[in-house]
Amino acid sequence: MYKIRRAEKLADKIYLMDVEAPRVARHCEPGQFVIVKIDEKGERIPLTICDYDREAGTVTIVFQAIGVSTEKMALLKEGDAFRDFVGPLGCASEFIHEDVEELKNKKYLFVAGGVGAAPVYPQVKWMHEHGISVDVIVGAKTKDMLILKDEMEKVSGNLYIATDDGTYGQHGMVTDVIKKLVQEEGKKYDVCVAIGPMIMMKFVCLLTKELNIPTIVSMNPIMVDGTGMCGACRLHVGDEIKFACVDGPEFDGHLINFDEAMKRQQMYKTQEGRALLKMQEGDTHHGGCGHCGGDE
Ligand code: NAD
Ligand code: FES
């Protein structure tokens, strides 16, 4: 069992939990995710890691209560426990393998939309801990939906906040802030990391393509079981077929067909849609992992 050390409501339907999971805390890196299960019969829920404390042996998760399982999760309190907490899974963010001195010469822009602030935070924190100053844009629908603002402030070089309704920070979407920084203020970026809802990542990528800024996105939202078995997260990255949960979740955003991925995400929600995908793509239960070749 994996005990919950802290449980907090961050905003409407958004919750944060520190979970005792020393092995995961020892090995996890920014960009990776865990799968949690409330009890034996519970659904497997993949969640990107928001933070970790290797000494305390805890991993922080942030989730949105959007279905039966996450609504049940939201009822858990400090002292309760998860039945399973598996990880770290997926590949870590690529930059952690780069030479730190070379990273210092690159200008990174992180763009977080809504709950996407949770997976962006450990990446910005890692940069800060390695002496690399980065610009960060956080977008939210409204002031009350803004999460992790204080935490982000401590680790960002420059933090820009935008709300769709103008109740805090700049009035507008994250793409408006990118345009302002690059086109009006003349800022130059070598890499953009954009994590948030699919529609946000799509529009950030359209813009950064125009602005010539290589962009990394996280395809976490299309994952279902997170194990490479269900096939839900199969996607085209350029000409290649990848699985977000095994090969990602982070990919070159300019190579992703977001419309296809969003359509697939919708199809996967119905039994009929899942049956159609299975017919078209073969039994992704075999080879869905992308490693054994059984799906070819
Ligand atoms: P949201 O709808 O509140 O959007 C957050 C921000 O994204 C907005 O404030 C805006 O700045 C920007 N945005 C939205 N639509 C845009 C558009 N068309 N053009 C430009 N910018 C746009 O976000 P939310 O409700 O917190 O999002 C929840 C979604 O985020 C869920 O679907 C979840 O799957 C996803 N999510 C993704 C990841 C990931 O790893 N990619 C992680 C956590 C959550
Ligand atoms: Fe099921 Fe990736 S989430 S195969």
Side-chain angles (χ1 to χ4, degrees):
M1 298 295 269
Y2 299 84
K3 211 168 180 179
I4 299 167
R5 287 259 202 95
R6 174 169 69 125
E8 251 179 54
K9 187 172 181 178
L10 297 182
D12 185 35
K13 292 201 173 289
I14 305 176
Y15 300 84
L16 175 147
M17 287 176 184
D18 285 346
V19 182
E20 230 174 69
R23 202 193 61 80
V24 183
R26 248 192 331 270
H27 299 286
C28 66
E29 298 288 359
Q32 291 188 295
F33 67 94
V34 290
I35 294 179
V36 304
K37 230 171 101 171
I38 299 180
D39 51 38
E40 206 159 335
K41 291 192 182 135
E43 206 182 342
R44 305 162 65 91
I45 308 166
L47 294 168
T48 22
I49 292 166
C50 170
D51 200 3
Y52 45 87
D53 184 330
R54 301 209 203 277
E55 272 177 37
T58 55
V59 174
T60 306
I61 50 170
V62 168
F63 62 93
Q64 209 170 13
I66 43 163
V68 179
S69 301
T70 42
E71 287 284 0
K72 270 194 199 165
M73 256 172 79
L75 298 175
L76 297 176
K77 301 272 173 291
E78 188 180 318
D80 290 339
F82 286 101
R83 161 73 204 244
D84 285 330
F85 197 88
V86 181
L89 297 165
C91 307
S93 304
E94 247 175 57
F95 61 74
I96 73 157
H97 304 297
E98 282 187 46
D99 184 86
V100 172
E101 291 312 310
E102 277 177 30
L103 275 179
K104 282 181 184 165
N105 294 326
K106 290 187 187 172
K107 192 70 198 161
Y108 267 76
L109 172 66
F110 286 86
V111 181
V115 196
V120 166
Y121 175 68
Q123 304 200 16
V124 176
K125 186 178 169 191
W126 187 98
M127 289 284 189
H128 177 73
E129 285 171 350
H130 288 79
I132 303 158
S133 173
V134 301
D135 284 2
V136 182
I137 300 172
V138 176
K141 283 192 190 81
T142 183
K143 186 182 176 207
D144 294 342
M145 297 302 286
L146 198 57
I147 61 165
L148 304 170
K149 177 185 152 283
D150 296 344
E151 290 81 353
M152 208 67 103
E153 223 152 39
K154 287 183 195 144
V155 292
S156 310
N158 295 300
L159 176 64
Y160 306 93
I161 294 177
T163 47
D164 301 3
D165 62 0
T167 44
Y168 194 91
Q170 188 177 322
H171 190 174
M173 297 203 172
V174 291
T175 39
D176 299 316
V177 185
I178 301 175
K179 276 184 211 157
K180 190 168 168 220
L181 292 176
V182 176
Q183 293 173 335
E184 290 176 29
E185 297 183 19
K187 291 229 179 195
K188 296 207 185 315
Y189 295 105
D190 299 298
V191 185
C192 170
V193 177
I195 307 183
M198 294 280 275
I199 193 75
M200 177 204 98
M201 297 191 286
K202 172 185 165 171
F203 282 100
V204 168
C205 284
L206 285 174
L207 176 62
T208 55
K209 217 172 192 173
E210 239 175 73
L211 300 172
N212 251 320
I213 309 171
T215 300
I216 306 292
V217 296
S218 170
M219 297 305 278
N220 182 55
I222 62 169
M223 296 190 328
V224 173
D225 74 349
T227 62
M229 298 298 280
C230 72
C233 70
R234 186 180 154 123
L235 81 161
H236 274 103
V237 180
D239 294 335
E240 290 183 279
I241 287 179
K242 300 280 185 190
F243 286 76
C245 64
V246 184
D247 304 309
E250 294 181 3
F251 296 103
D252 178 343
H254 293 171
L255 294 181
I256 287 179
N257 181 337
F258 283 99
D259 293 333
E260 180 192 64
M262 284 189 276
K263 194 171 155 210
R264 189 185 166 86
Q265 194 184 19
Q266 283 309 314
M267 278 178 84
Y268 214 88
K269 285 187 181 150
T270 66
Q271 204 175 359
E272 201 183 357
R274 286 195 295 275
L276 182 64
L277 288 173
K278 194 168 172 178
M279 195 174 80
Q280 289 169 345
E281 296 168 356
D283 188 357
T284 40
H285 288 84
H286 303 283
C289 63
H291 289 319
C292 71
D295 193 38
E296 315 231 296

